[in-house]
Amino acid sequence: MSNTDDHPGHRSGSSGSLAHRVPDLGALELLLAVARLGSLGGAARELGITQPAASSRIRSMERQLGVALVDRSPRGSRLTDAGALVTDWARRIVEAAEAFDAGAQALRDRRDSRLRVAASMTIAEYLLPGWLLALRAERPDTAVSLLAGNSAAVAERLLSGVADLGFVEGLTVPSGLDSVVVAHDRLIVVTAPAHPWARRRRPLAGEELAATPLILREKGSGTRQVLDAALGGLARPLIEVSSTTAVKAAAVGGAGPAVLSELAVGEELAMRRLVRIPVDGIALTRDLRAVWPMGHRPTGPARDLLSLTRG
């Protein structure tokens, strides 16, 4: 067997992972600094590590490659012939890594320049404006687009890649999505002051509410899901509309009773344009959730918005 075969760093063939056979970027950057400065100590200072750590890294790289790379002397550090060759290769690898890093940064910049949010109507109208205002203070250069719809539409937009982060208010998390609770809400029964319910002395029973035609959101909305589940079914809608604002306007106009988020009717109750009707025996509370595609935790602006909702 030859002397080369006896060298402890020699390996025949190229079996095993490339990561185990090629020095890491930190070691290659150190070798390039030694070549440029002619000093192991100077290279260590430039890279912000101690000289013993630099020496150890060079020795480790020499063992990994099976060749001596640097001659050390009181006058400084000089590359061996093999070291000069390896340095040329290292320079190409580091340049490729710099190009890779620049490309990755460009992708991050593009991602961070926009945020697409999908939210169910109550959250979109009454909670998101404050959250987005806080996000603008942190990320003034991020352009935000908001797609408002019911909970089913939010899920569809997330799963099709049209939105980066969503907010829903239904009873369950739509299939294919992960979620976290960001707020809580209560649904309340309201009517115009002239409605007969506004003069009743006893709370409304759940059975009577279930049997009464109401002004309702469309099927698929979180509000309607919660109400339907709490009452065990609903009468045929008096009016069916596609937004919280439209439900509220119809109720204020005297069209009939409605069930709305407490978040949505504060001003109307304070001004007596609507009257809250007490209900007995049913729970009309719900969790408001942030949602995203399963296994893809929000990053960039979406992650920052999510943290603001939970602050």
Side-chain angles (χ1 to χ4, degrees):
M1 187 175 289
S2 69
N3 290 339
T4 301
D5 290 335
D6 288 338
H7 195 287
H10 177 75
R11 292 175 302 280
S12 60
S14 58
S15 61
S17 168
L18 188 64
H20 292 104
R21 293 182 281 114
V22 176
D24 62 42
L25 280 174
L28 297 179
E29 286 180 313
L30 175 61
L31 184 63
L32 290 174
V34 171
R36 186 173 65 256
L37 300 172
S39 165
L40 189 60
R45 286 191 296 274
E46 180 174 275
L47 297 179
I49 60 176
T50 65
Q51 184 163 341
S55 296
S56 175
R57 185 169 288 184
I58 291 292
R59 287 194 299 270
S60 176
M61 184 164 41
E62 289 175 331
R63 287 194 300 271
Q64 184 179 24
L65 296 176
V67 295
L69 301 173
V70 178
D71 282 333
R72 303 162 186 82
S73 73
R75 295 187 300 276
S77 300
R78 182 183 64 81
L79 296 179
T80 64
D81 290 344
L85 186 58
V86 170
T87 298
D88 286 340
W89 299 335
R91 187 172 291 108
R92 295 179 220 166
I93 294 172
V94 170
E95 288 173 352
E98 289 171 344
F100 181 95
D101 180 57
Q105 182 60 51
L107 288 176
R108 289 191 294 270
D109 290 344
R110 186 171 69 181
R111 177 205 66 190
D112 292 353
S113 68
R114 68 172 188 176
L115 173 61
R116 301 166 301 170
V117 181
S120 52
M121 299 302 297
T122 300
I123 299 174
E125 291 183 66
Y126 300 102
L127 291 176
L128 258 175
W131 295 339
L132 293 178
L133 191 63
L135 180 68
R136 175 168 287 278
E138 292 191 2
R139 286 181 171 271
D141 296 329
T142 296
V144 179
S145 61
L146 172 59
L147 303 167
N150 62 35
S151 296
V154 171
E156 181 181 345
R157 285 162 176 162
L158 286 168
L159 294 172
S160 65
V162 176
D164 305 306
L165 183 66
F167 295 92
V168 297
E169 54 203 46
L171 281 174
T172 59
V173 179
S175 178
L177 302 180
D178 284 332
S179 74
V180 65
V181 174
V182 297
H184 304 280
D185 187 27
R186 180 183 292 107
L187 299 179
I188 62 174
V189 179
V190 294
T191 69
H195 192 277
W197 282 2
R199 296 185 294 276
R200 57 184 297 142
R201 296 178 180 275
R202 291 179 297 156
L204 189 67
E207 294 81 3
E208 186 176 357
L209 181 62
T212 300
L214 302 171
I215 306 166
L216 291 173
R217 286 282 310 279
E218 79 287 1
K219 290 181 179 179
S221 76
T223 298
R224 186 158 172 174
Q225 288 174 11
V226 172
L227 184 59
D228 194 8
L231 297 177
L234 294 168
R236 184 174 181 176
L238 178 66
I239 304 173
E240 188 175 83
V241 294
S242 60
S243 76
T244 300
T245 300
V247 173
K248 187 165 56 174
V252 168
V259 180
L260 286 163
S261 165
E262 198 170 35
L263 295 169
V265 293
E267 181 180 345
E268 286 74 18
L269 292 175
M271 301 294 292
R272 292 286 298 173
R273 292 197 293 268
L274 288 175
V275 177
R276 179 173 182 163
I277 309 301
V279 180
D280 193 26
I282 58 170
L284 292 176
T285 58
R286 59 181 175 175
D287 294 329
L288 306 182
R289 295 180 175 89
V291 288
W292 56 89
M294 191 172 289
H296 298 276
R297 187 78 181 177
T299 60
R303 177 196 59 221
D304 292 348
L305 178 59
L306 180 58
S307 69
L308 288 168
T309 66
R310 307 176 70 190

